[in-house]
Coordinates of all heavy atoms in Angstrom, one line a residue:
M1 N 30.0 -85.2 46.8 CA 30.2 -83.9 46.1 C 29.1 -83.0 46.6 O 29.3 -81.8 46.7 CB 30.2 -84.1 44.6 CG 30.5 -82.9 43.8 SD 32.1 -82.3 44.2 CE 32.3 -81.0 43.0
M2 N 27.8 -83.5 46.7 CA 26.7 -82.8 47.1 C 26.9 -82.2 48.5 O 26.5 -81.1 48.8 CB 25.5 -83.6 47.1 CG 24.2 -82.8 47.4 SD 23.9 -81.4 46.3 CE 23.0 -82.3 45.0
T3 N 27.5 -83.0 49.4 CA 27.8 -82.6 50.8 C 28.7 -81.3 50.8 O 28.5 -80.4 51.6 CB 28.4 -83.7 51.6 OG1 27.4 -84.7 51.6 CG2 28.6 -83.2 53.0
V4 N 29.7 -81.4 50.0 CA 30.7 -80.3 49.9 C 30.0 -79.0 49.4 O 30.2 -77.9 49.9 CB 31.9 -80.7 48.9 CG1 32.8 -79.5 48.7 CG2 32.6 -81.8 49.5
F5 N 29.1 -79.1 48.4 CA 28.4 -78.0 47.9 C 27.4 -77.4 49.1 O 27.4 -76.3 49.3 CB 27.4 -78.4 46.7 CG 26.4 -77.4 46.3 CD1 26.9 -76.2 45.7 CD2 25.1 -77.5 46.6 CE1 26.0 -75.2 45.3 CE2 24.2 -76.5 46.2 CZ 24.6 -75.3 45.6
G6 N 26.9 -78.3 49.8 CA 26.0 -77.8 51.0 C 26.8 -77.1 52.0 O 26.4 -76.1 52.5
I7 N 28.0 -77.6 52.4 CA 28.9 -77.1 53.3 C 29.3 -75.7 52.9 O 29.2 -74.7 53.6 CB 30.0 -77.9 53.7 CG1 29.7 -79.1 54.5 CG2 31.1 -77.1 54.5 CD1 30.6 -80.2 54.5
I8 N 29.7 -75.5 51.6 CA 30.1 -74.3 51.0 C 29.0 -73.3 51.0 O 29.1 -72.2 51.4 CB 30.8 -74.5 49.6 CG1 32.1 -75.2 49.7 CG2 31.0 -73.1 48.9 CD1 32.7 -75.7 48.5
A9 N 27.8 -73.7 50.6 CA 26.7 -72.7 50.5 C 26.2 -72.3 51.8 O 26.0 -71.1 52.0 CB 25.5 -73.5 49.8
L10 N 26.1 -73.2 52.8 CA 25.7 -72.7 54.1 C 26.7 -71.9 54.8 O 26.5 -71.0 55.5 CB 25.4 -73.9 55.0 CG 24.1 -74.7 54.6 CD1 24.0 -76.0 55.3 CD2 23.0 -73.8 54.9
T11 N 28.1 -72.2 54.7 CA 29.1 -71.4 55.2 C 29.1 -70.0 54.6 O 29.2 -69.0 55.3 CB 30.5 -72.1 55.1 OG1 30.5 -73.4 55.6 CG2 31.6 -71.2 55.6
F12 N 28.9 -69.9 53.3 CA 28.8 -68.6 52.6 C 27.6 -67.8 53.2 O 27.8 -66.6 53.5 CB 28.8 -68.8 51.1 CG 28.7 -67.5 50.4 CD1 29.7 -66.7 50.2 CD2 27.4 -67.1 49.8 CE1 29.6 -65.5 49.6 CE2 27.3 -65.9 49.2 CZ 28.4 -65.1 49.0
M13 N 26.5 -68.5 53.3 CA 25.2 -67.8 53.7 C 25.5 -67.3 55.1 O 25.1 -66.1 55.4 CB 24.0 -68.8 53.6 CG 22.8 -68.1 54.1 SD 21.5 -69.4 54.3 CE 22.0 -70.2 55.8
M14 N 25.9 -68.0 56.0 CA 26.1 -67.6 57.4 C 27.1 -66.5 57.5 O 27.0 -65.6 58.3 CB 26.4 -68.8 58.3 CG 25.4 -69.8 58.3 SD 23.7 -69.1 58.8 CE 24.1 -68.5 60.4
T15 N 28.1 -66.6 56.7 CA 29.2 -65.5 56.6 C 28.6 -64.2 56.3 O 28.9 -63.2 56.9 CB 30.4 -65.9 55.8 OG1 31.0 -67.1 56.3 CG2 31.6 -64.9 55.9
M16 N 27.9 -64.2 55.2 CA 27.2 -63.0 54.7 C 26.2 -62.5 55.7 O 26.1 -61.3 55.9 CB 26.6 -63.2 53.4 CG 27.5 -63.6 52.2 SD 28.7 -62.3 51.9 CE 30.1 -62.8 52.6
Y17 N 25.5 -63.3 56.4 CA 24.5 -63.0 57.4 C 25.3 -62.2 58.5 O 24.9 -61.1 59.1 CB 23.8 -64.2 57.9 CG 22.9 -63.8 59.1 CD1 21.7 -63.2 58.8 CD2 23.2 -64.2 60.4 CE1 20.8 -62.8 59.9 CE2 22.3 -63.8 61.4 CZ 21.1 -63.1 61.1 OH 20.2 -62.8 62.1
A18 N 26.4 -62.8 59.0 CA 27.2 -62.2 60.0 C 27.8 -60.9 59.6 O 28.0 -59.9 60.6 CB 28.3 -63.1 60.4
L19 N 28.0 -60.6 58.4 CA 28.7 -59.3 57.9 C 27.7 -58.4 57.3 O 28.1 -57.3 56.9 CB 29.7 -59.7 56.8 CG 31.0 -60.5 57.3 CD1 31.8 -60.9 56.1 CD2 31.7 -59.8 58.4
E20 N 26.4 -58.7 57.3 CA 25.5 -57.8 56.5 C 25.4 -56.4 57.2 O 25.0 -55.5 56.5 CB 24.1 -58.4 56.4 CG 23.3 -58.5 57.7 CD 22.0 -59.2 57.4 OE1 21.8 -59.9 56.4 OE2 21.0 -58.8 58.1
H21 N 25.7 -56.3 58.5 CA 25.7 -54.9 59.0 C 26.7 -53.9 58.4 O 26.7 -52.8 58.6 CB 25.9 -55.0 60.6 CG 27.3 -55.4 60.9 ND1 27.6 -56.7 61.0 CD2 28.3 -54.7 61.3 CE1 28.9 -56.8 61.3 NE2 29.4 -55.6 61.6
R22 N 27.7 -54.5 57.7 CA 28.8 -53.7 57.1 C 28.4 -53.1 55.8 O 29.1 -52.3 55.3 CB 30.1 -54.7 56.8 CG 30.7 -55.1 58.1 CD 31.9 -55.9 57.9 NE 32.5 -56.2 59.0 CZ 33.8 -56.5 59.2 NH1 34.6 -56.5 58.1 NH2 34.3 -56.9 60.3
G23 N 27.4 -53.6 55.2 CA 26.9 -52.9 53.9 C 25.9 -53.7 53.1 O 25.7 -54.9 53.4
R24 N 25.3 -53.1 52.2 CA 24.3 -53.7 51.4 C 24.8 -54.9 50.5 O 24.1 -55.8 50.3 CB 23.6 -52.7 50.5 CG 22.7 -51.7 51.1 CD 22.1 -50.8 50.2 NE 21.1 -51.4 49.5 CZ 20.7 -51.2 48.2 NH1 21.5 -50.3 47.5 NH2 19.7 -51.8 47.6
R25 N 26.1 -54.8 50.1 CA 26.7 -55.9 49.3 C 26.7 -57.2 50.1 O 26.5 -58.3 49.5 CB 28.0 -55.5 48.8 CG 29.1 -55.4 49.8 CD 30.5 -55.1 49.3 NE 31.4 -54.9 50.4 CZ 32.0 -53.7 50.5 NH1 31.8 -52.7 49.7 NH2 32.8 -53.6 51.6
Y26 N 26.9 -57.2 51.4 CA 26.7 -58.3 52.2 C 25.3 -58.9 52.3 O 25.1 -60.1 52.4 CB 27.4 -58.1 53.6 CG 28.9 -57.8 53.4 CD1 29.4 -56.5 53.7 CD2 29.8 -58.8 53.2 CE1 30.7 -56.2 53.6 CE2 31.2 -58.6 53.1 CZ 31.6 -57.2 53.3 OH 33.0 -57.0 53.2
L27 N 24.4 -58.0 52.4 CA 23.0 -58.4 52.3 C 22.7 -59.0 51.1 O 22.0 -60.1 51.0 CB 22.1 -57.2 52.6 CG 20.6 -57.5 52.7 CD1 20.3 -58.5 53.7 CD2 20.0 -56.1 53.0
L28 N 23.2 -58.5 49.9 CA 23.0 -59.2 48.6 C 23.7 -60.6 48.6 O 23.2 -61.5 48.1 CB 23.4 -58.3 47.6 CG 23.1 -58.7 46.1 CD1 21.5 -58.8 45.9 CD2 23.6 -57.7 45.1
G29 N 24.9 -60.7 49.3 CA 25.6 -61.9 49.3 C 24.7 -62.9 50.1 O 24.7 -64.1 49.8
F30 N 24.0 -62.4 51.2 CA 23.2 -63.3 52.0 C 22.1 -63.8 51.1 O 21.7 -65.0 51.2 CB 22.7 -62.6 53.2 CG 21.8 -63.4 54.1 CD1 22.2 -64.5 54.7 CD2 20.4 -62.9 54.2 CE1 21.4 -65.2 55.5 CE2 19.5 -63.7 55.1 CZ 20.0 -64.8 55.7
V31 N 21.5 -63.0 50.2 CA 20.4 -63.4 49.4 C 21.0 -64.6 48.5 O 20.3 -65.6 48.4 CB 19.9 -62.2 48.4 CG1 19.0 -62.7 47.4 CG2 19.2 -61.2 49.3
F32 N 22.1 -64.3 47.9 CA 22.7 -65.4 47.0 C 23.0 -66.6 47.8 O 22.8 -67.8 47.3 CB 24.0 -64.8 46.4 CG 24.7 -65.7 45.5 CD1 24.1 -66.1 44.3 CD2 25.9 -66.2 45.7 CE1 24.7 -67.0 43.4 CE2 26.6 -67.1 44.9 CZ 25.9 -67.5 43.7
G33 N 23.5 -66.5 49.1 CA 23.7 -67.7 49.9 C 22.5 -68.4 50.2 O 22.4 -69.7 50.2
C34 N 21.3 -67.8 50.4 CA 20.0 -68.4 50.7 C 19.6 -69.1 49.5 O 19.0 -70.2 49.5 CB 19.0 -67.4 51.0 SG 19.2 -66.7 52.7
V35 N 19.8 -68.5 48.3 CA 19.5 -69.2 47.0 C 20.3 -70.5 46.8 O 19.8 -71.6 46.5 CB 19.6 -68.3 45.8 CG1 19.4 -69.0 44.5 CG2 18.6 -67.2 45.9
L36 N 21.5 -70.4 47.1 CA 22.4 -71.6 46.9 C 22.0 -72.6 48.0 O 22.0 -73.8 47.7 CB 23.8 -71.2 47.3 CG 24.6 -70.4 46.1 CD1 26.0 -70.0 46.6 CD2 24.6 -71.2 44.9
S37 N 21.7 -72.3 49.2 CA 21.3 -73.2 50.3 C 19.9 -73.8 49.8 O 19.7 -75.0 50.1 CB 21.2 -72.5 51.6 OG 22.4 -72.0 52.0
S38 N 19.0 -73.1 49.2 CA 17.7 -73.6 48.8 C 17.9 -74.6 47.7 O 17.3 -75.7 47.7 CB 16.9 -72.4 48.3 OG 15.7 -72.9 47.8
C39 N 18.8 -74.3 46.8 CA 19.1 -75.3 45.7 C 19.6 -76.5 46.3 O 19.3 -77.7 45.9 CB 20.2 -74.7 44.8 SG 19.5 -73.4 43.7
Y40 N 20.6 -76.4 47.3 CA 21.1 -77.7 48.0 C 20.0 -78.4 48.6 O 19.9 -79.7 48.6 CB 22.1 -77.2 49.0 CG 22.5 -78.4 49.9 CD1 23.3 -79.4 49.5 CD2 22.1 -78.4 51.3 CE1 23.6 -80.5 50.3 CE2 22.4 -79.4 52.1 CZ 23.2 -80.5 51.6 OH 23.6 -81.6 52.4
G41 N 19.0 -77.7 49.3 CA 17.9 -78.5 49.9 C 17.1 -79.2 49.0 O 16.9 -80.4 49.2
F42 N 16.8 -78.6 47.9 CA 16.0 -79.3 46.8 C 16.8 -80.5 46.2 O 16.2 -81.6 45.9 CB 15.5 -78.3 45.8 CG 14.3 -77.5 46.3 CD1 14.5 -76.1 46.4 CD2 13.1 -78.1 46.7 CE1 13.4 -75.3 46.9 CE2 12.1 -77.2 47.1 CZ 12.3 -75.9 47.2
L43 N 18.1 -80.2 45.8 CA 18.9 -81.2 45.2 C 19.2 -82.4 46.1 O 19.3 -83.6 45.6 CB 20.1 -80.6 44.7 CG 20.0 -79.6 43.5 CD1 21.4 -79.0 43.3 CD2 19.5 -80.4 42.3
S44 N 19.2 -82.2 47.4 CA 19.5 -83.3 48.3 C 18.2 -84.0 48.8 O 18.4 -85.0 49.5 CB 20.3 -82.8 49.5 OG 19.4 -81.9 50.3
G45 N 17.1 -83.6 48.4 CA 15.9 -84.2 48.7 C 15.2 -83.6 49.9 O 14.2 -84.2 50.5
A46 N 15.9 -82.7 50.6 CA 15.3 -82.0 51.9 C 14.5 -80.9 51.4 O 14.8 -79.7 51.7 CB 16.4 -81.7 52.7
W47 N 13.3 -81.1 50.7 CA 12.6 -80.0 50.2 C 12.0 -79.0 51.2 O 11.9 -77.9 51.0 CB 11.4 -80.5 49.3 CG 10.4 -81.3 50.0 CD1 10.4 -82.7 50.1 CD2 9.2 -80.8 50.7 NE1 9.2 -83.0 50.9 CE2 8.6 -81.9 51.2 CE3 8.8 -79.6 50.9 CZ2 7.3 -81.7 51.9 CZ3 7.5 -79.4 51.6 CH2 6.8 -80.5 52.0
P48 N 11.7 -79.4 52.4 CA 11.3 -78.4 53.5 C 12.4 -77.4 53.7 O 12.1 -76.2 53.8 CB 11.0 -79.2 54.8 CG 10.6 -80.6 54.3 CD 11.5 -80.8 53.1
F49 N 13.6 -77.9 53.8 CA 14.8 -76.9 53.9 C 14.9 -76.0 52.7 O 15.1 -74.8 52.9 CB 16.0 -77.8 54.1 CG 17.2 -76.9 54.2 CD1 17.6 -76.3 55.4 CD2 18.2 -76.8 53.2 CE1 18.7 -75.5 55.6 CE2 19.3 -76.0 53.4 CZ 19.5 -75.4 54.5
G50 N 14.7 -76.6 51.5 CA 14.8 -75.8 50.3 C 13.7 -74.6 50.3 O 13.9 -73.6 49.8
V51 N 12.5 -75.1 50.8 CA 11.4 -74.1 50.8 C 11.6 -72.9 51.8 O 11.5 -71.8 51.4 CB 10.1 -74.8 51.1 CG1 9.0 -73.8 51.5 CG2 9.6 -75.7 50.0
V52 N 12.1 -73.3 53.0 CA 12.5 -72.3 54.0 C 13.5 -71.4 53.5 O 13.5 -70.1 53.7 CB 12.9 -72.9 55.3 CG1 13.5 -72.0 56.3 CG2 11.6 -73.7 55.9
E53 N 14.6 -71.8 52.9 CA 15.7 -71.0 52.3 C 15.2 -70.1 51.2 O 15.7 -69.0 51.1 CB 16.9 -71.9 51.9 CG 17.6 -72.6 53.2 CD 18.2 -71.5 54.2 OE1 18.5 -70.5 53.7 OE2 18.1 -71.8 55.3
A54 N 14.3 -70.7 50.5 CA 13.8 -69.8 49.3 C 13.0 -68.6 49.9 O 13.1 -67.5 49.4 CB 12.9 -70.6 48.4
I55 N 12.2 -68.9 50.9 CA 11.5 -67.9 51.6 C 12.4 -66.8 52.3 O 12.3 -65.6 52.1 CB 10.6 -68.4 52.7 CG1 9.4 -69.2 52.0 CG2 10.0 -67.4 53.6 CD1 8.6 -70.1 53.0
W56 N 13.5 -67.2 52.9 CA 14.5 -66.4 53.4 C 15.2 -65.5 52.3 O 15.5 -64.3 52.6 CB 15.5 -67.1 54.2 CG 15.2 -67.3 55.6 CD1 15.0 -68.5 56.3 CD2 15.0 -66.3 56.6 NE1 14.7 -68.3 57.6 CE2 14.7 -67.0 57.9 CE3 15.1 -64.9 56.6 CZ2 14.5 -66.2 59.0 CZ3 14.8 -64.2 57.7 CH2 14.5 -64.9 58.9
A57 N 15.4 -66.1 51.2 CA 16.0 -65.4 50.1 C 15.1 -64.2 49.6 O 15.5 -63.2 49.4 CB 16.3 -66.3 48.9
V58 N 13.7 -64.5 49.5 CA 12.8 -63.5 49.2 C 12.8 -62.4 50.3 O 12.8 -61.2 49.9 CB 11.4 -64.1 49.0 CG1 10.3 -63.0 48.8 CG2 11.4 -65.0 47.8
I59 N 12.8 -62.7 51.5 CA 12.7 -61.7 52.6 C 14.0 -60.9 52.6 O 13.9 -59.7 52.8 CB 12.6 -62.5 54.0 CG1 11.2 -63.1 54.0 CG2 12.9 -61.4 55.1 CD1 11.0 -64.0 55.3
A60 N 15.2 -61.5 52.4 CA 16.4 -60.8 52.3 C 16.5 -59.9 51.2 O 17.0 -58.8 51.2 CB 17.6 -61.8 52.3
F61 N 16.0 -60.3 50.0 CA 16.0 -59.5 48.9 C 15.1 -58.2 49.0 O 15.4 -57.2 48.6 CB 15.6 -60.3 47.7 CG 15.7 -59.5 46.3 CD1 16.9 -59.2 45.8 CD2 14.6 -59.0 45.7 CE1 17.1 -58.5 44.7 CE2 14.7 -58.2 44.6 CZ 15.9 -57.9 44.0
R62 N 14.0 -58.6 49.7 CA 13.0 -57.3 50.0 C 13.8 -56.4 50.9 O 13.7 -55.2 50.7 CB 11.8 -57.8 50.6 CG 10.8 -56.7 51.0 CD 9.5 -57.3 51.4 NE 8.8 -56.2 52.1 CZ 7.8 -55.5 51.5 NH1 7.6 -55.7 50.3 NH2 7.3 -54.5 52.2
R63 N 14.6 -56.9 51.9 CA 15.3 -56.0 52.8 C 16.3 -55.2 52.0 O 16.6 -54.1 52.2 CB 16.0 -56.8 54.0 CG 15.0 -57.2 55.0 CD 15.7 -57.9 56.1 NE 16.9 -57.4 56.5 CZ 18.0 -58.2 56.8 NH1 17.8 -59.5 56.9 NH2 19.1 -57.7 57.2
Y64 N 17.0 -56.0 51.0 CA 18.0 -55.3 50.2 C 17.5 -54.1 49.4 O 18.0 -53.1 49.3 CB 18.6 -56.4 49.3 CG 19.6 -55.7 48.3 CD1 20.9 -55.4 48.7 CD2 19.3 -55.6 47.0 CE1 21.8 -54.9 47.8 CE2 20.1 -55.0 46.0 CZ 21.3 -54.7 46.5 OH 22.3 -54.2 45.6
T65 N 16.3 -54.4 48.8 CA 15.7 -53.3 47.9 C 15.1 -52.2 48.8 O 15.0 -51.1 48.2 CB 14.6 -54.0 47.0 OG1 13.5 -54.5 47.8 CG2 15.2 -55.0 46.1
T66 N 14.8 -52.4 50.1 CA 14.2 -51.3 50.7 C 15.2 -50.6 51.7 O 14.8 -49.6 52.4 CB 13.0 -51.8 51.7 OG1 13.5 -52.8 52.5 CG2 11.9 -52.4 50.8
T67 N 16.4 -51.1 51.7 CA 17.5 -50.5 52.6 C 18.2 -49.4 51.8 O 18.7 -49.7 50.7 CB 18.5 -51.6 53.1 OG1 17.8 -52.5 53.8 CG2 19.5 -50.9 53.9
P68 N 18.1 -48.2 52.2 CA 18.9 -47.2 51.6 C 20.3 -47.4 51.4 O 20.9 -48.1 52.3 CB 18.7 -45.9 52.4 CG 17.6 -46.2 53.3 CD 17.5 -47.7 53.5
A69 N 21.0 -47.0 50.3 CA 22.4 -47.3 50.1 C 23.3 -46.9 51.2 O 24.3 -47.5 51.5 CB 22.8 -46.7 48.7
D70 N 23.0 -45.7 51.8 CA 23.9 -45.2 52.9 C 23.5 -45.6 54.3 O 24.2 -45.4 55.2 CB 24.0 -43.7 52.8 CG 22.6 -43.0 53.0 OD1 21.6 -43.7 52.9 OD2 22.6 -41.9 53.2
A71 N 22.4 -46.4 54.4 CA 22.0 -46.7 55.7 C 22.8 -47.9 56.4 O 22.8 -48.0 57.5 CB 20.5 -47.1 55.7
A72 N 23.3 -48.7 55.5 CA 24.0 -50.0 56.0 C 25.5 -49.8 55.9 O 26.2 -50.8 55.9 CB 23.5 -51.2 55.2
T73 N 26.0 -48.6 55.8 CA 27.6 -48.4 55.7 C 28.0 -48.2 57.1 O 27.5 -47.7 58.0 CB 27.9 -47.3 54.9 OG1 27.3 -46.1 55.3 CG2 27.5 -47.6 53.4
P74 N 29.3 -48.7 57.4 CA 29.9 -48.5 58.7 C 30.2 -47.0 58.9 O 30.5 -46.3 58.0 CB 31.1 -49.3 58.7 CG 31.5 -49.5 57.2 CD 30.1 -49.4 56.5
S75 N 30.2 -46.7 60.2 CA 30.5 -45.3 60.5 C 32.0 -45.1 60.8 O 32.7 -45.8 61.1 CB 29.6 -44.8 61.6 OG 29.5 -45.8 62.7

C-alpha cells in the first residue's frame, strides 16, 4: 500500500511540475505533490528523500507566493 501511495505522489508531483508553466494553480499543485512525496519519504524510512522533498516544497511555495497571478498564464 505504501508503494502505491509513493507512485501516486511522485506521479502527481512530476505532472504538476511539467504543467506549471500553464498557471499558478499547477505550481501550487507541485507544492502539494512535494509535500506528499516528502511524507512518503519519511513514512517509508527514506528520510533523506523526505528532507529533500520538504525543501523543494518550501522553494516551490516561495515561487508560488512571489509569482504574479497574471505572469504564469498561457498567452
Side-chain angles (χ1 to χ4, degrees):
M1 187 65 171
M2 183 60 86
T3 302
V4 173
F5 173 69
I7 290 169
I8 291 169
L10 290 171
T11 301
F12 178 77
M13 180 189 71
M14 295 308 298
T15 302
M16 293 299 103
Y17 178 73
L19 296 174
E20 72 179 28
H21 69 278
R22 293 184 177 204
R24 289 180 76 220
R25 65 178 176 244
Y26 294 105
L27 183 52
L28 191 58
F30 179 62
V31 172
F32 184 64
C34 288
V35 170
L36 289 176
S37 297
S38 179
C39 291
Y40 168 71
F42 286 116
L43 291 173
S44 69
W47 65 266
F49 179 77
V51 169
V52 169
E53 289 302 322
I55 292 169
W56 271 116
V58 171
I59 292 168
F61 185 73
R62 180 175 163 96
R63 282 182 40 222
Y64 174 77
T65 59
T66 59
T67 301
D70 60 348
T73 56
S75 43

